[in-house]
Amino acid sequence: MNMILGTIAAELEIEESDLRKSLDSAAERKRYVKIPKKSGDGFRRLVIPPQEHKLIQYWTTQNILSKLALSPHATAFHKGASVVENARRHAGGIYFVRMDISDFFPSIESADLIKFLLSIDSSNPIIGSADDRTYMDTLFHDGRCAIGYPISPHVANLVMKPIDDAIADRLNEESDLLGNPVYTRYADDITISISRKGFKSDVLDIVRTAIHNAKSPSLKINNSKTKFGSRLRR
């Protein structure tokens, strides 16, 4: 018996075996949708899960994932988070570095979530369900986060916490050099603001090193989308 599916089945007043049958058969009703990217460069593929899988995702998010602490530097996908809040954090900055993480959601695997949970609380019930294919297949598409899955943003914020905190801590160590560095990550978009000129290479190195040294997830920066800016008029 899976503790999570058993609990959900009890709340639904059905047998766990019947819930499993429903979840397994529902997997065939996933839908795939293509939407144009905002950049106009190609399309983004969404995977729309069936309602049965959404139920498990929402239950897992509300009853387990939402109770875990996120990095304070994550400014998307949680209460109080917004683009406006992300921008507000950098109101005092003068120079900016903006970076994009390639294929953000699909780069995050179910194993990354398990590794993160093990690092903070080995008693988390999701860990005990890691080998339950029926349950894990409701949360992940082919073992990875999917754009279109309600649970993906929450999983992403959690597994990114060690990287977010490592980047922010390293920037703060160089505060005297960089000048009041501020780090935020809005989904796959990283923004760093500083007040001293001439240190963009140092900022890039800090981010790339933190991502490279992370044991999970395995991420890559899309260098073509790295941008630099300044509030100063030329």
Side-chain angles (χ1 to χ4, degrees):
M1 176 178 175
N2 179 304
M3 185 172 73
I4 296 175
L5 292 185
T7 300
I8 296 173
E11 291 179 2
L12 296 173
E13 298 183 345
I14 62 175
E15 295 294 327
E16 181 180 335
S17 59
D18 292 332
L19 176 59
R20 287 181 174 278
K21 290 177 183 177
S22 177
L23 295 174
D24 289 339
S25 62
E28 300 177 359
R29 299 199 305 276
K30 290 180 183 179
R31 294 188 294 115
Y32 303 90
V33 179
K34 285 185 177 181
I35 60 173
K37 292 183 178 181
K38 292 182 180 179
S39 63
D41 181 22
F43 293 84
R44 192 181 305 279
R45 189 183 81 154
L46 277 67
V47 184
I48 310 301
Q51 290 299 322
E52 294 89 339
H53 288 196
K54 284 185 179 180
L55 170 67
I56 306 303
Q57 292 184 32
Y58 284 128
W59 191 97
T60 301
T61 299
Q62 180 177 345
N63 292 280
I64 302 176
L65 299 186
S66 66
K67 301 181 185 302
L68 304 177
L70 304 177
S71 170
H73 311 291
T75 57
F77 309 135
H78 62 89
K79 186 176 181 180
S82 67
V83 175
V84 174
E85 172 59 20
N86 189 74
R88 187 194 67 78
R89 301 269 188 101
H90 299 280
I94 299 175
Y95 303 99
F96 304 88
V97 177
R98 295 182 174 87
M99 308 172 75
D100 177 86
I101 302 173
S102 298
D103 299 320
F104 183 52
F105 282 155
S107 295
I108 297 172
E109 302 180 1
S110 58
D112 295 319
L113 176 60
I114 300 304
K115 289 177 183 177
F116 172 76
L117 296 176
L118 282 169
S119 72
I120 61 170
D121 181 8
S122 60
S123 66
N124 189 289
I126 295 178
I127 297 172
S129 303
D131 294 328
D132 187 330
R133 184 171 179 178
T134 295
Y135 174 67
M136 297 303 287
D137 282 354
T138 68
L139 309 185
F140 297 92
H141 176 65
D142 293 337
R144 297 176 179 272
C145 285
I147 303 172
Y149 272 35
I151 201 170
S152 291
H154 303 278
V155 171
N157 269 346
L158 286 171
V159 302
M160 284 295 296
K161 185 178 187 300
I163 294 177
D164 289 335
D165 292 346
I167 293 173
D169 289 348
R170 187 70 186 90
L171 288 168
N172 286 333
E173 289 175 2
E174 299 295 336
S175 182
D176 290 342
L177 177 70
L178 304 174
N180 303 315
V182 175
Y183 166 81
T184 61
R185 180 186 53 79
Y186 188 90
D188 57 350
D189 295 322
I190 290 172
T191 302
I192 297 171
S193 57
I194 60 178
S195 60
R196 297 191 64 194
K197 185 178 181 180
F199 296 99
K200 63 183 181 182
S201 294
D202 299 83
V203 169
L204 292 176
D205 286 344
I206 287 173
V207 175
R208 288 169 177 160
T209 298
I211 289 177
H212 175 77
N213 290 343
K215 295 180 180 179
S216 85
S218 178
L219 304 173
K220 292 183 180 180
I221 293 296
N222 184 344
N223 293 320
S224 67
K225 291 187 177 181
T226 297
K227 297 180 180 179
F228 307 100
S230 170
R231 291 189 190 278
L232 300 180
R233 294 181 179 179
R234 295 181 179 180

